[in-house]
Every structure is written in C-alpha cells, then in structure tokens.
C-alpha cells in the first residue's frame, strides 16, 4: 500500500506527467498514426486548463459534458487524470479519468472528441486517452480501466479498443493480462 501524506501530491503529478509523455512518445512512433498524418511535433497531450475549457466552448454542437467542472474536480481529486489533446494549436479532445478511492480500477468519467468538423486526430482521441490512462493506471497499481456510464452509441467502438462487459455489466479493459 502506498504512503499518504507529504509528497503524495507531487508523486501523483509526476505519474500523470510521465503517462502523458509516454503516450505522446508511443503515438509519435505508431505506424498507423504516422500513416494517418499525425505529426508528433504538432501533437500535445496536456492537462486540462482554463485555456482548454475556453477552446472547448468554441466547438460546435450542444455542450453536453460538464468539462467546466473538471477544474474543480482536479483540486479535490489528487489522483484524477485530466487530458487535453491538441493538434497544431487546436483542441481535438478531452478526457477525465480517476481511480477515486480504488486501488484496483480507474474509471474514465468523461471522454469527448471535437464535434463538428474533421481534424487530424479524429479517430485517435479514444485510443490516446486509453493509452495514457493505461500507463497511469499501471503506475498506480490498478488492474482495470472502466468506462463509467458509456454512451450506448460508443460501446461498439470501446469494444474494438479491447473493452468488454464483465459479469457485473461494467465496461472494462483488463490490465493484468496485457
């Protein structure tokens, strides 16, 4: 069991930063991403900031996810993983995942790609979010990733990424046998 107290917040920030960097490096060497035109020098995997929230409000379509709340959640949830996916200065996707008080499971609470128009990262937001969350979850010692309350239309896509419904009807991605 990991120690709580002094240094824990810094450790969590370091683990999140390392997960973002490792995911960036992995995507930058992925043959499929390269074939799709994803240039690592134009890709940013960063924390969600007020700048990202403002960029989100520029997306077309209804504002149906509580991204504004993520800034508050981050202050209360030291282990929460917040991801903003940028490409050439354009916000292309957002993700928020957290283990809450679990040492077994990290949950993807919110995940959304840019609505409206096409962009270079279309089709890559969920895989990059999963990859970053997986790197972070493994460092925390979690054994699975769960999608909390998945949109029914997105379930087949999650299943293509390796998620399945467990015996308790949760959409999970196991980490122990990967």
């Amino acid at each position: 069991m990991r120690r709580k107290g002094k240094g824990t917040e810094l450790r969590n920030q370091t683990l999140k930063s390392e997960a973002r960097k490792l995911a960036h490096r992995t995507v930058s060497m992925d043959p499929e991403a390269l074939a799709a035109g994803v240039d690592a020098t134009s890709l940013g995997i960063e924390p969600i900031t007020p700048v990202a929230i403002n960029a989100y409000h520029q997306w077309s379509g209804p504002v149906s996810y509580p991204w504004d709340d993520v800034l508050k959640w981050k202050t209360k949830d030291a282990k929460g993983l917040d991801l903003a996916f940028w490409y050439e200065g354009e916000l292309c996707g957002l993700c928020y995942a957290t283990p809450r008080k679990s040492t077994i499971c990290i949950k993807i609470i919110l995940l959304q790609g840019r609505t409206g128009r096409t962009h270079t990262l279309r089709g890559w937001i969920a895989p990059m979010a999963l990859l970053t969350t997986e790197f972070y979850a493994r460092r925390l010692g979690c054994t699975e990733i769960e999608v909390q309350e998945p949109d029914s239309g997105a379930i087949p896509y999650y299943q293509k990424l390796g998620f399945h419904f467990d015996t308790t009807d949760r959409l999970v991605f196991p980490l122990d046998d990967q």
Side-chain angles (χ1 to χ4, degrees), residues 51-165:
V51 172
I53 299 300
N54 288 338
Y56 164 72
H57 286 293
Q58 305 308 310
W59 291 359
S60 62
V63 176
S64 57
Y65 293 92
W67 291 110
D68 293 296
D69 295 341
V70 170
L71 298 176
K72 289 180 264 178
W73 295 350
K74 288 171 49 167
T75 62
K76 296 177 184 176
D77 184 8
K79 288 187 178 178
L81 176 66
D82 54 312
L83 304 168
F85 298 97
W86 297 87
Y87 195 80
E88 295 180 341
E90 175 185 19
L91 180 67
C92 298
L94 295 165
C95 178
Y96 186 78
T98 180
R100 292 202 177 115
K101 295 179 181 176
S102 176
T103 57
I104 297 168
C105 178
I106 187 167
K107 291 184 180 185
I108 295 176
I109 307 297
L110 299 172
L111 176 60
Q112 184 178 11
R114 183 178 178 119
T115 55
R117 53 191 262 259
T118 61
H119 53 81
T120 304
L121 298 181
R122 183 164 300 285
W124 287 96
I125 300 302
M128 288 190 303
L130 176 59
L131 183 67
T132 311
T133 303
E134 179 180 351
F135 288 141
Y136 182 58
R138 287 184 184 281
R139 293 297 306 265
L140 291 176
C142 295
T143 59
E144 65 185 15
I145 299 170
E146 176 185 350
V147 178
Q148 179 175 290
E149 300 176 19
D151 182 89
S152 61
I155 291 172
Y157 186 66
Y158 283 118
Q159 289 173 322
K160 285 181 186 174
L161 293 174
F163 285 85
H164 68 275
F165 284 99

